[in-house]
Amino acid sequence: MNGGSGDMTLAFDLEALKQLARPDVVFNDARQWSEYVGVISEKPTYVVTNFTRKHRIRQDFFSGPRGREESLDNVKEQFGTDRHVYVGTGEDDEAVADASDWEYLSVEDAADAAEWELGEPESEVESADQTRDDWP
């Protein structure tokens, strides 16, 4: 996804992030061409927080305990960038994006364009533990 507008807010559905092998790398990469990057989910806040903490993701916003459409509306109000792009996993996510006047991009298309690896997320904490020589 090189060459995109730096004046963009990028929101990932939590389920889309769960389909990316290295969500931390995805966030770091997205920050190079996005002004704000965050996570949207209808799950309780602690679920999103646990996932982002486990994968060492620093998000600029998250949805909290509200619906996705309301969250996208609130994010769009808060972050007045030229573009608002929602990365999701299917027709339901596309409908939420359309209802909130966000551009929709499937996680597969986003991964293909940005050369992100799809697959089961690997935890940074788990991989660090596996490489320690002094670990009992």
Side-chain angles (χ1 to χ4, degrees), residues 89-103:
T89 60
E91 291 178 7
D92 288 344
D93 292 345
E94 187 171 8
V96 168
D98 287 344
S100 301
D101 198 28
W102 281 61
E103 296 175 44

Side-chain angles (χ1 to χ4, degrees), residues 26 33 44 50 97 114:
V26 168
W33 38 265
N50 286 344

Side-chain angles (χ1 to χ4, degrees), residues 97-114:
D98 287 344
S100 301
D101 198 28
W102 281 61
E103 296 175 44
Y104 174 77
L105 189 60
S106 73
V107 67
E108 295 87 1
D109 289 345
D112 185 49

Side-chain angles (χ1 to χ4, degrees), residues 34-119:
S34 299
E35 188 73 25
Y36 305 102
V37 185
V39 180
I40 299 293
S41 178
E42 291 180 331
K43 303 275 187 197
T45 303
Y46 75 88
V47 173
V48 176
T49 303
N50 286 344
F51 182 87
T52 57
R53 192 174 290 151
K54 178 180 179 182
H55 296 284
R56 296 185 179 171
I57 294 171
R58 183 181 57 85
Q59 55 190 340
D60 296 317
F61 60 86
F62 63 94
S63 58
R66 57 177 67 105
R68 295 177 301 156
E69 188 174 330
E70 181 183 356
S71 294
L72 289 174
D73 289 341
N74 288 338
V75 168
K76 192 169 188 175
E77 266 183 45
Q78 272 189 303
F79 302 104
T81 55
D82 290 341
R83 293 180 65 201
H84 295 84
V85 179
Y86 181 48
V87 178
T89 60
E91 291 178 7
D92 288 344
D93 292 345
E94 187 171 8
V96 168
D98 287 344
S100 301
D101 198 28
W102 281 61
E103 296 175 44
Y104 174 77
L105 189 60
S106 73
V107 67
E108 295 87 1
D109 289 345
D112 185 49
E115 299 179 359
W116 297 329
E117 184 181 349
L118 293 170

